[in-house]
Amino acid sequence: MINIKYYSTDFVNPLPHIFGDGIAVMTPPKNASTFINVFLGRNQGRLNWVEGEVKTKIAIKRDPIDRWCGAVNQQRGRLKGVSDLEEAFWYQDPNVIVKLHAPEDSPIRDISEFCGQFDWAGPTKDYDAVYYLHQVDDLLKNVLGVTVDETDPLCKVYRHKSTDKDIELVLTKDLTDESKKIIMEQIYQDDYKHGWF
């Protein structure tokens, strides 16, 4: 089962990143959070602000089922060669992992990447604009005026594409209808109630 010592259990990036003239971009984990808050944050914007500094609030959302699969893939890559027991846990049938994640006391719920988007960022109605994960580059270029140096070797690292890792990927098509229903109605029900889909 899960040994929580291998995982981040605190909210690693609870604040939105501030760009330009007071544009706050909220990125829950698995929604380009590391790319925006760490990679871009090295040179542009800042994580902290003073009262009244935020003029526009933007959120980046991701389909909860696809995000759940992305979180499993992250665990597969993160724990490769670190712990045989943990690696074996994440390589079991993803439909089994969904059922283990469902109970409210499941230790999977303590892993930050598996916390719901609503838990991180509240309802989407609280934002001036909401973009999907696949729109991040357009958001950066067209709304924020941020240039991404694709030649920077860290750019690839911080984009965290699961396809770049030597792992067997979990895709939404690997989940049964029952598993998808559990994700929608038990694990991330608040995401579906509050616009994070």
Side-chain angles (χ1 to χ4, degrees):
M1 190 51 181
I2 296 289
N3 182 341
I4 212 67
K5 75 178 183 179
Y6 289 105
Y7 307 93
S8 169
T9 57
D10 61 341
F11 283 70
V12 291
N13 56 333
L15 301 177
H17 200 97
I18 309 300
F19 290 92
D21 190 24
I23 302 174
V25 180
M26 174 58 81
T27 57
K30 305 311 303 162
N31 294 23
S33 58
T34 305
F35 177 63
I36 288 175
N37 289 333
V38 179
F39 178 70
L40 294 178
R42 292 181 306 145
N43 302 311
Q44 304 175 52
R46 56 202 178 283
L47 283 171
N48 298 306
W49 65 88
V50 295
E51 193 66 32
E53 184 178 4
V54 174
K55 297 175 184 162
T56 304
K57 294 192 319 185
I58 294 173
I60 297 173
K61 69 180 180 177
R62 184 173 182 180
D63 172 77
I65 295 172
D66 179 60
R67 184 172 172 267
W68 187 89
C69 292
V72 171
N73 292 331
Q74 179 171 333
Q75 302 315 320
R76 287 181 172 193
R78 174 187 280 168
L79 293 161
K80 190 173 182 176
V82 174
S83 165
D84 291 343
L85 286 174
E86 296 293 317
E87 191 175 338
F89 177 86
W90 294 110
Y91 267 93
Q92 66 185 317
D93 183 332
N95 296 291
V96 172
I97 300 172
V98 168
K99 289 179 182 174
L100 293 171
H101 186 178
E104 290 188 16
D105 63 347
S106 170
I108 297 173
R109 292 183 182 244
D110 290 330
I111 301 170
S112 60
E113 290 82 6
F114 285 96
C115 292
Q117 296 168 91
F118 172 78
D119 297 332
W120 281 84
T124 57
K125 69 177 179 58
D126 289 349
Y127 295 86
D128 299 302
V130 179
Y131 292 83
Y132 284 99
L133 181 63
H134 69 271
Q135 297 173 307
V136 165
D137 288 331
D138 287 339
L139 166 68
L140 294 174
K141 180 181 176 184
N142 299 325
V143 178
L144 303 177
V146 172
T147 304
V148 177
D149 181 3
E150 299 287 347
T151 64
D152 184 331
L154 290 177
C155 182
K156 184 175 181 180
V157 171
Y158 285 118
R159 281 195 184 254
H160 285 316
K161 291 183 180 175
S162 296
T163 54
D164 295 338
K165 299 174 182 172
D166 184 23
I167 59 171
E168 181 183 332
L169 295 177
V170 172
L171 305 173
T172 57
K173 67 178 183 152
D174 299 325
L175 299 177
T176 64
D177 289 342
E178 178 189 6
S179 291
K180 291 174 184 176
K181 185 174 180 180
I182 290 171
I183 291 172
M184 294 171 69
E185 296 180 2
Q186 295 179 47
I187 298 172
Y188 295 137
Q189 70 272 15
D190 287 335
D191 285 3
Y192 285 94
K193 286 179 191 171
H194 297 285
W196 293 97
F197 58 91

